[in-house]
């Protein structure tokens, strides 16, 4: 059995080197857990579905003394430095774009530990934060280069969806905002958010407001597209373009070809002579993203006009995070009339959504201004 464990480690892998001493020489029960987790690559692929029998066996093995601590340690080490692949150089990232990693023993073991983390009894010791960091590094949701690994990111997302307690929920809201819909494992993230929200009884209107896609837009409402180093880190495109959402809700695309810049609106046609076989796919993705942003703006205008939003109040932190400062929702928010009320003050006061919100006490409650004096009473949200 010791030979089987030894074969799981690769001196060429940083995570494997860091954990080898801690993950060898274990008790028979923990060794059995290790060997079982190392078979995760037999089912964990682009479908992101956990084998039911494998899960039952894993949960049974996790009852062994020291299993919780072992899993937390392995995940914490995966969150360190460059995560599993330890690639943080732009040139290396480009060379590795088409390779998600061979099914090696260390990688399969890492996948197993990540999935098992979701079945621990408690979210303690910074576990959800470590899982989130693993996910961000492997889904290119960081401000610096990291090697993308869809399977590892997907396993971390899945674990956060299963992890008990409310702590993982806030982490999932943040990940849903940071990880773009163009990343393949984003679909398992979306499912994990819904699974955790259902378990915790999150109301549908809160789920809707906290999962509005930003489509990669920065806080200034722009998304710069280009080769790695010239645009968004997560999008290696063969065109130079800037997608922008204006303050009035209009979406534009600026296509750059040498010294020529052409600004277009829907349907976002590129300039004559711009399209060639090399650029064709990237042009289509730029156009698709711009149209998706337009659709989200339209949906947010509709949502903010529903009673689910108008008949409740928001805390100042939630209003700032999910409304005012969201790259898409913020455009709609700033076009509407808002008001606030302070504790022990029955009166509501006008609120300028463009003003600095920190001037308001954190205890302030914010709502959309009723459209008429006969508007129904506003109930206090959570």
């Amino acid at each position: 059995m010791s030979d089987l464990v030894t074969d799981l480690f690769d001196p060429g892998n940083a995570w494997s080197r860091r954990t080898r001493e801690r993950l060898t020489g274990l008790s028979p029960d923990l060794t059995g857990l290790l060997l079982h987790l190392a078979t995760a690559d037999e089912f964990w692929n682009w479908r992101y579905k956990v084998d039911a029998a494998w899960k039952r066996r894993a949960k049974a093995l996790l009852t062994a003394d020291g299993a919780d601590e072992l899993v937390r340690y392995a995940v914490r080490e995966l969150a360190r430095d460059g995560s599993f692949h330890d690639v943080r150089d732009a040139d290396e990232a480009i060379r590795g774009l088409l390779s998600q990693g061979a099914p090696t023993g260390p990688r399969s073991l890492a996948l197993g530990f990540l999935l098992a983390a979701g079945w621990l009894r408690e979210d303690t010791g910074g576990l959800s934060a470590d899982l989130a960091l693993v996910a961000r590094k492997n889904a290119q949701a960081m401000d610096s280069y990291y090697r993308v690994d869809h399977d590892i990111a997907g396993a971390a997302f899945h674990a956060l969806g299963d992890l008990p307690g409310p702590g993982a929920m806030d982490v999932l809201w943040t990940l849903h905002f940071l990880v773009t819909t163009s990343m393949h494992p984003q679909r398992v993230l979306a499912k994990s958010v819904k699974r955790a929200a259902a378990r915790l009884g999150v109301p549908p209107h809160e789920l809707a407001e906290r999962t509005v896609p930003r489509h990669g837009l920065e806080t200034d409402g722009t998304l710069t597209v280009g080769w790695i180093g010239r645009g968004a880190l997560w999008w290696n495109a063969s065109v130079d373009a800037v997608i922008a959402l204006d303050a009035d809700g209009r979406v534009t695309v600026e296509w750059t070809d040498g010294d020529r810049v052409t600004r277009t609106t829907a349907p976002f046609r590129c300039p004559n002579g711009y399209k060639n076989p090399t650029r064709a796919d990237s042009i289509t993705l730029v156009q698709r993203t711009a149209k998706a942003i337009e659709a989200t703006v339209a949906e947010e205008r509709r949502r903010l006009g529903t009673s689910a939003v108008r008949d409740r109040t928001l805390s100042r932190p939630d209003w700032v995070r999910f409304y005012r400062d969201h790259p898409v929702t913020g455009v709609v928010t700033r076009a509407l009339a808002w008001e606030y009320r302070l504790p022990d003050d029955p009166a509501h006061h006008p609120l300028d959504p463009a003003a600095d919100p920190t001037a308001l006490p954190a205890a302030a409650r914010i709502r959309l201004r009723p459209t008429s004096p006969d508007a129904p009473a506003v109930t206090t949200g959570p």
Side-chain angles (χ1 to χ4, degrees), residues 90-91 94 145 224-237 240:
D91 292 335
I94 292 171
Y145 292 104
T224 302
V225 180
W227 292 110
I228 283 185
R230 296 213 305 261
L233 298 182
W234 48 269
W235 190 345
N236 185 40
D240 287 306

